[in-house]
């Protein structure tokens, strides 16, 4: 029998959040005005559209059956990758937490499963863990996709890794799996993992106490000294304990600025649009 527990979506989520009375099997959450769907490129908030979303876990954490689903008021599962809108304002984006800071279970959206729930990654049938805790909240930008058929001439011709774009959120609070946060991008790291381009967008949640102080990559070094280097080194080295080589970084081994990060987000959103319209073969990816 599936186990469930409540997961709170943060108060700066996609639209206004209304907490509901807990019920057995989960917590009902209202993302007021969130318009779901994939038939239109742009998404808008409309007062007449008030779906209630249940974000719940099925199965026990740290098991092969564990999944985190997003479910609407009719009981229909929706995809955090495809159905949560990317944009939430001018240069503000929705960020879905997969891995809370100071944890090591390698959680990720299951891009090949219907409704793309969050699950723990596996290798050879065993649950995967990082060799040490990740020190930032980590997750994805919905409605983005790194096209594996596109060779990026600016990053050594590396091909996309076939996943949504990753976000490293540097705020002070530890978030929860499945939280949806409004973030502003500050920079981008072009990680190359075994020849594949795996963008890391450095961002901060709007409700962080230092959010107003940081607006570009140079501000990160000023108000979060050493953080950009720490992020780069963490992702460079985390596979070494497993006997694999260190990852590499393009763009001169440095974090690109906010403008470049916005360019990456726009381009990968365009790739996602082609994917969802089936202009590009989906392969094993789930478009539900």
């Amino acid at each position: 029998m599936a186990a469930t527990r409540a997961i709170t979506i943060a108060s700066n989520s996609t639209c206004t959040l209304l907490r509901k009375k807990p019920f057995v099997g989960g917590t009902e959450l209202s993302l007021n005005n969130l318009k779901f769907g994939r038939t239109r490129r742009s998404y808008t908030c409309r007062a007449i559209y008030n779906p209630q979303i249940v974000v719940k876990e099925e199965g026990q954490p740290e098991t092969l059956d564990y999944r985190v689903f997003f479910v609407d008021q009719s009981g229909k599962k929706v995809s955090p990758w495809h159905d949560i809108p990317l944009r939430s304002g001018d240069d503000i984006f929705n960020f879905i937490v997969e891995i809370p800071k100071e944890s090591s279970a390698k959680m990720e959206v299951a891009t090949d499963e219907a409704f793309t729930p969050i699950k723990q990654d596996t290798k050879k049938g065993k649950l995967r863990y990082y060799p040490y805790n990740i020190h930032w909240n980590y997750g994805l930008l919905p409605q983005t996709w790194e096209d594996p058929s596109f060779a990026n001439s600016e990053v050594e011709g590396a091909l996309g890794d076939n996943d949504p774009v990753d976000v490293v959120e540097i705020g002070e609070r530890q978030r929860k799996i499945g939280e949806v946060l409004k973030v502003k991008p500050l920079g981008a790291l072009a990680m190359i993992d075994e020849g594949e381009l795996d963008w890391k967008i450095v961002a901060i949640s709007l409700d962080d106490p230092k959010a107003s102080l940081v607006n570009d990559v140079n501000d990160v070094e000023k108000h979060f000294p050493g953080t950009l280097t720490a992020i780069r080194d963490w992702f460079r080295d985390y596979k070494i304990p497993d006997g694999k080589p260190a990852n590499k970084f393009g763009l001169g081994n440095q974090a690109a600025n906010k403008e470049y990060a916005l360019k990456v987000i726009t381009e990968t959103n365009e790739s996602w649009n082609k994917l969802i319209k089936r202009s590009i073969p989906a392969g094993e990816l789930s478009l539900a």
Side-chain angles (χ1 to χ4, degrees):
M1 184 175 181
T4 62
R5 70 174 173 84
I7 300 176
T8 302
I9 294 180
S11 60
N12 72 338
S13 299
T14 309
C15 293
T16 304
L17 172 70
L18 297 179
R19 289 295 304 276
K20 298 293 182 179
K21 183 178 180 181
F23 65 96
V24 176
T27 296
E28 235 177 70
L29 303 171
S30 174
L31 298 184
N32 287 352
N33 310 329
L34 175 58
K35 184 173 178 62
F36 286 99
R38 299 188 298 280
T39 58
R40 300 178 61 187
R41 179 163 180 168
S42 62
Y43 293 79
T44 58
C45 287
R46 297 181 180 178
I48 61 173
Y49 197 84
N50 296 319
Q52 292 183 338
I53 303 299
V54 177
V55 182
K56 65 180 182 180
E57 295 170 314
E58 293 187 2
Q60 296 295 328
E62 299 187 74
T63 68
L64 294 174
D65 296 329
Y66 177 68
R67 298 291 185 276
V68 177
F69 282 101
F70 289 66
V71 182
D72 69 16
Q73 61 182 346
S74 69
K76 178 182 179 297
K77 291 176 179 177
V78 295
S79 166
W81 180 19
H82 301 309
D83 292 323
I84 300 295
L86 169 62
R87 293 176 175 84
S88 190
D90 292 339
D91 296 344
I92 303 299
F93 301 89
N94 289 315
F95 158 59
I96 300 168
V97 179
E98 295 170 303
I99 306 175
K101 68 184 296 184
E102 303 308 334
S103 66
S104 64
K106 193 176 185 302
M107 310 301 298
E108 63 181 19
V109 162
T111 58
D112 60 348
E113 296 185 12
F115 306 110
T116 63
I118 298 172
K119 70 170 186 178
Q120 188 166 352
D121 191 22
T122 60
K123 183 177 182 180
K124 297 181 179 179
K126 295 184 178 180
L127 297 171
R128 291 188 66 188
Y129 294 86
Y130 291 123
Y132 29 70
N133 285 352
I134 188 168
H135 307 306
W136 313 274
N137 297 299
Y138 188 59
L140 73 139
L141 289 176
Q143 300 182 347
T144 62
W145 178 57
E146 298 194 47
D147 183 355
S149 69
F150 174 69
N152 193 311
S153 61
E154 297 177 4
V155 190
E156 303 180 17
L159 302 172
D161 71 349
N162 203 33
D163 282 325
V165 171
D166 297 325
V167 172
V168 182
E169 194 276 317
I170 63 174
E172 67 177 20
R173 290 175 52 193
Q174 182 189 55
R175 305 296 184 157
K176 296 180 181 179
I177 298 172
E179 282 193 85
V180 182
L181 308 174
K182 288 182 181 180
V183 300
K184 57 181 177 180
L186 306 169
L189 286 161
M191 190 176 92
I192 303 172
D193 182 355
E194 298 182 17
E196 294 181 337
L197 181 55
D198 187 1
W199 287 108
K200 308 299 180 188
I201 301 297
V202 179
I204 191 166
S205 180
L206 294 188
D207 66 352
D208 189 82
K210 292 186 178 180
S212 63
L213 302 177
V214 286
N215 295 290
D216 211 325
V217 70
N218 292 333
D219 297 328
V220 177
E221 190 58 35
K222 180 178 179 180
H223 296 284
F224 295 83
T227 294
L228 292 171
T229 298
I231 292 171
R232 184 196 62 202
D233 292 353
W234 194 99
F235 282 101
R236 182 193 64 198
D237 297 340
Y238 79 91
K239 290 186 175 182
I240 292 176
D242 292 331
K244 293 186 177 182
N247 290 319
K248 300 191 303 178
F249 288 85
L251 304 180
N253 211 36
Q254 300 296 318
N257 63 15
K258 176 179 180 177
E259 182 180 4
Y260 199 98
L262 292 173
K263 172 177 173 285
V264 170
I265 294 169
T266 298
E267 290 176 349
T268 54
N269 175 244
E270 291 171 352
S271 294
W272 173 84
N273 270 282
K274 294 176 182 177
L275 176 70
I276 212 70
K277 293 174 182 175
R278 293 172 172 79
S279 301
I280 298 176
E284 297 182 358
L285 296 175
S286 173
L287 303 185

